[in-house]
Amino acid sequence: HGTPITAIDFIRRSLAAQTSELARIRTLAEFAKLLDSSGYQGQAVSFLERLLTEGRVEGAPRLKATVLLSLASVQRKSGGLGEDFALERLEQALNLLQPRGLNSRDIPLLLVLADLRLKKGKTALAADAYETAIGISEQFRAALASESARLAFLEKDPTHVMNYQIAIGGMFAAADKDPSFLERAFAAAEKARARVLLESLRGADLEREGPLRKDETALTQRLAMMAQKGLEEGWSTEDGIAFTSLQERLVRLGDQIRAQDPQYASLRYGQPSGLKEVEAALKPGEAFVSYKFAGRDQAAWAFLLQPGKARLVRLYAGEALSAARNLPPPEPRRPTEVWEAVPERLGRALWSPFDAELADAKKVFIVPDGELWTVPWSVLESSGKPLLDKPYTLQVVPSGSVLVQLRKVK
C-alpha cells in the first residue's frame, strides 16, 4: 500500500520476537513473498538467493529447504522458464530433506513439487510425490490416539485436511492423464474412505493378551505422546526422525501380529481393497460407481467399475450441487417448479456421463461422498427417465472395501 518502510519495520520487529532460527528464516521468506506480491519479483528472487548462501542456511538442510520452497513459489509465477527453475529448486529441497525423513511440515513442498511435475509431463514422479504426501498425512493422523486429539489437530491446522484432499485430487489428475495410474488413484480414494472406519476399530478395546500386544500398546502410546507434543510445541528434526523410527517399528510389529493372530490383525490393521479386488467382487451384470470430491478446487470425480473394465470420469457437478444446496428457493418463485428441475440437473451432472455404459447392468452399487450422501439416487433423471425406472437396481455402500468384505462373508 505504498508504505515499504512500515512493512520493513514490521519484519524487523517480527524477527526480534522469533526464538528459533527456523522461525527467523520463515519470516525472511515471508518478507520475500511480500516483495513479490508488491511487484518486486526480481528483488524477491535476489533476496532469497542471497539468503541461500548465508552460512546459517547453507549448513542447515531444513532451513535451506524452506528458502528453496519460497524461491520456487516466487519463480513459478512467471511460468515457462520460471517454472523450470522452480521445479529444479523443489527437487533440491526434496533431496535435502529425504535422507533425514519427511514429516507433515513437508507436505506443502511435496504438493507444489507434484503439481509442477504433473504439468511438465512427469506423471510417474508426480504420482510418487502425491502418494508420499498422502502416506505422511495418514501416519501422523493415525498416531493421534483419540478422536479428541484428532479434532484438536484439525482445529489447529485445518489446512491439513485440505492438503490431504489436494494430494488425492492430484492422484486423480495423474490417472486422468495416464490411465495406467488408475489403480493407484483408486487406492488413494479407498484409503481416504476407509481411514475413519479403521480409526474407529483402532480406538476400540480389542481384548487380547500377549507380549506382542503389550509392545504394540507401548509403541502406540509413545507415538500418541509424540504426536500430541507436535500439536502443542512443534517438532524438531530429531523428533521427526524418532517419530518415523517408531512408526517403522510399529509396522514390523504389525507384520508379526498378523502372522500370530490373523483375526485380531484383520481388525487392528485392516487395509482398504484395491481396484482389482473390487472389480473381482462384482458379478456379471453388476457395476460400481464411486464418487469423490478432491483437489484444490474440490472437483467431482467418479470411478466406474464393471467386470473386466474400469475408468475414471471427471464430473462438472458444481452447478447442480449448488442448486440443490440452495433449495427451497425464496419467494415469490414457486417451489414446485424448482424442485422438479433438480432431479434432471443432478442426473445430468452425476449420472449422464456414463449412463450409456450401464445400459446392460442389472445392479449398480453407489459410493457417495460428502453432500452426495443426501442425494435421493432413485429419483435422479438421466436420458429422460428417473433411475427408478431403469432396468437395474441401486444399492448404496460405504466403500469398495466394504463391498468386498460383504461378498467374502456371503
Side-chain angles (χ1 to χ4, degrees), residues 131 168 171-172 175 179 181-194 272-279 288-292 302-305 310-312 367 399-404:
E131 285 182 327
I168 293 173
M171 286 301 301
F172 291 177
F181 293 96
L182 192 61
E183 289 187 41
R184 292 166 68 175
F186 185 84
E190 278 297 303
K191 283 178 183 177
R193 296 182 195 287
S273 299
L275 185 147
K276 293 296 185 184
E277 290 179 273
V278 177
E279 193 179 317
F288 174 88
V289 179
S290 177
Y291 294 93
K292 184 67 183 169
F303 287 92
L304 173 62
L305 275 59
R311 76 181 184 103
L312 178 64
V367 180
S399 72
S401 303
V402 171
L403 176 60
V404 170

Side-chain angles (χ1 to χ4, degrees), residues 295-372:
R296 296 185 187 278
D297 56 354
Q298 284 293 283
W301 301 81
F303 287 92
L304 173 62
L305 275 59
Q306 294 172 289
K309 64 178 181 178
R311 76 181 184 103
L312 178 64
V313 184
R314 180 159 189 168
L315 306 171
Y316 298 92
E319 182 183 348
L321 289 172
S322 176
R325 199 179 299 130
N326 294 330
L327 291 173
E331 297 295 342
R333 297 170 67 186
R334 292 198 305 170
T336 52
E337 291 181 354
V338 181
W339 276 106
E340 288 169 2
V342 169
E344 191 276 331
R345 294 179 70 180
L346 285 175
R348 185 171 66 246
L350 300 173
W351 204 263
S352 292
F354 41 79
D355 185 37
E357 296 173 67
L358 299 174
D360 298 325
K362 297 177 182 177
K363 186 172 188 176
V364 181
F365 294 98
I366 302 172
V367 180
D369 185 42
E371 294 178 71
L372 299 187

Side-chain angles (χ1 to χ4, degrees), residues 240-252:
I241 294 172
F243 188 80
T244 302
S245 177
L246 287 175
Q247 286 181 321
E248 290 172 351
R249 284 178 59 188
L250 186 60
V251 169
R252 290 195 296 271

